[in-house]
């Protein structure tokens, strides 16, 4: 397709399907120039077990660019635990002497890492998520809710309930989605 979003979504879908027969098709698109499409192709190949693609995703998790870190960390739960755990645990860390103007970028990285770790059945990021339920930035409160939605059990939902009345509608939706996710996860058990 001429539309990069269609190509990116196609790569995403092929990777999430988990069918290794898609690897040759994804590899044939190696000359893709659109950065978003390239990322989704690499992520799909990583999900399908391509070690080189997994290494690219892991290296992006350590990138100096915050957006690269976040995007890579969202893929990590779909990779083997021994490949993905280290970058996510590192993502929870807080650099010393962080300038105030970069604090939100660090918090966002920590919350993305916390959610991804939770998808891997780890509660290592619980403190980061809980600590940000009252963050003044609504996008960070929403990320905290999403992270806890991957960690909490149904009997712990009352910790998210106040966010249903948050003044920001995005936080309200994130809290509702997190609560639905908690019940859905536990219904599968």
């Amino acid at each position: 397709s001429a539309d990069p979003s269609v190509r990116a979504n196609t790569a995403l879908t092929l990777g999430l399907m988990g069918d290794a027969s898609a690897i040759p098709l994804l590899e044939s698109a190696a000359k893709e120039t659109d950065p978003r499409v390239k990322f989704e192709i690499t992520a799909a190949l990583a999900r399908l077990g391509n070690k080189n693609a997994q290494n690219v995703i892991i290296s992006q998790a350590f990138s100096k660019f915050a957006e690269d870190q976040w995007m890579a960390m969202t893929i990590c739960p779909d990779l083997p635990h021994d490949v993905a755990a280290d970058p996510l645990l590192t993502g929870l860390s807080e650099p010393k002497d962080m300038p105030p103007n970069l604090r939100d970028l660090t918090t966002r990285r920590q919350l993305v890492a916390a959610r991804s770790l939770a998808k891997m059945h780890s509660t290592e990021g619980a403190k980061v998520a809980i600590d940000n339920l009252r963050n003044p930035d609504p996008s960070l409160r929403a990320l905290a809710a999403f992270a806890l939605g991957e960690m909490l059990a149904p009997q712990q939902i009352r910790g998210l309930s106040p966010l249903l009345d948050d003044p920001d509608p995005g936080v309200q939706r994130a809290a509702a989605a997190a609560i639905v996710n908690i019940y859905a996860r536990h219904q599968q058990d």
Side-chain angles (χ1 to χ4, degrees), residues 23-24 62 65 73 81 87 94 170 178 182:
I23 292 174
F62 291 106
F65 300 106
M73 287 181 186
H81 188 274
E94 188 163 329
I182 290 167

Coordinates of all heavy atoms in Angstrom, one line a residue, residues 23-24 62 65 73 81 87 94 170 178 182:
I23 N 7.5 -14.3 8.2 CA 8.9 -13.7 8.2 C 9.4 -13.4 6.8 O 9.9 -12.3 6.7 CB 9.8 -14.7 9.0 CG1 9.5 -14.7 10.4 CG2 11.3 -14.3 8.8 CD1 10.2 -15.8 11.3
P24 N 9.3 -14.2 5.8 CA 9.8 -13.8 4.5 C 9.1 -12.6 3.9 O 9.8 -11.7 3.4 CB 9.5 -15.0 3.6 CG 9.4 -16.2 4.5 CD 8.8 -15.6 5.8
F62 N 17.4 1.2 25.1 CA 18.4 1.9 25.8 C 18.8 3.2 25.0 O 19.8 3.8 25.3 CB 19.7 1.0 25.9 CG 19.5 -0.1 26.9 CD1 19.3 -1.4 26.5 CD2 19.5 0.2 28.3 CE1 19.1 -2.4 27.4 CE2 19.3 -0.9 29.2 CZ 19.1 -2.2 28.7
F65 N 16.9 8.6 23.0 CA 15.7 9.2 22.7 C 14.5 8.6 23.4 O 14.3 7.4 23.3 CB 15.5 9.2 21.2 CG 16.6 9.9 20.4 CD1 17.5 9.1 19.7 CD2 16.7 11.3 20.4 CE1 18.5 9.7 19.0 CE2 17.7 11.9 19.7 CZ 18.6 11.1 19.0
M73 N 10.0 -0.5 24.6 CA 9.6 -1.2 25.9 C 8.2 -1.7 25.8 O 7.8 -2.7 26.5 CB 9.7 -0.2 27.1 CG 11.1 0.0 27.5 SD 11.3 1.1 28.9 CE 13.0 1.3 29.0
H81 N 11.6 -13.8 27.9 CA 11.8 -13.1 29.2 C 13.3 -12.8 29.4 O 13.7 -11.7 29.8 CB 11.3 -14.0 30.3 CG 11.4 -13.3 31.7 ND1 12.6 -13.4 32.5 CD2 10.5 -12.6 32.4 CE1 12.3 -12.7 33.6 NE2 11.1 -12.2 33.5
P87 N 16.2 -4.8 30.0 CA 15.9 -3.4 29.6 C 14.7 -2.8 30.4 O 14.7 -1.6 30.7 CB 15.6 -3.5 28.1 CG 16.0 -4.8 27.7 CD 16.2 -5.7 28.9
E94 N 15.8 5.4 38.0 CA 15.7 6.9 38.0 C 17.1 7.5 38.0 O 17.9 7.3 38.9 CB 14.9 7.4 39.2 CG 14.7 8.9 39.1 CD 13.6 9.3 40.0 OE1 12.7 8.5 40.3 OE2 13.6 10.5 40.5
G170 N -9.5 11.5 30.0 CA -8.6 10.4 29.5 C -8.2 9.5 30.7 O -8.0 8.3 30.5
A178 N -8.5 -0.2 32.7 CA -7.7 -0.9 33.6 C -8.5 -1.9 34.4 O -8.1 -3.1 34.6 CB -6.8 0.0 34.5
I182 N -8.4 -5.9 34.4 CA -8.2 -6.7 35.6 C -9.1 -7.9 35.7 O -8.8 -9.1 35.8 CB -8.3 -5.9 36.9 CG1 -7.1 -4.9 37.0 CG2 -8.4 -6.8 38.1 CD1 -7.3 -3.8 38.0

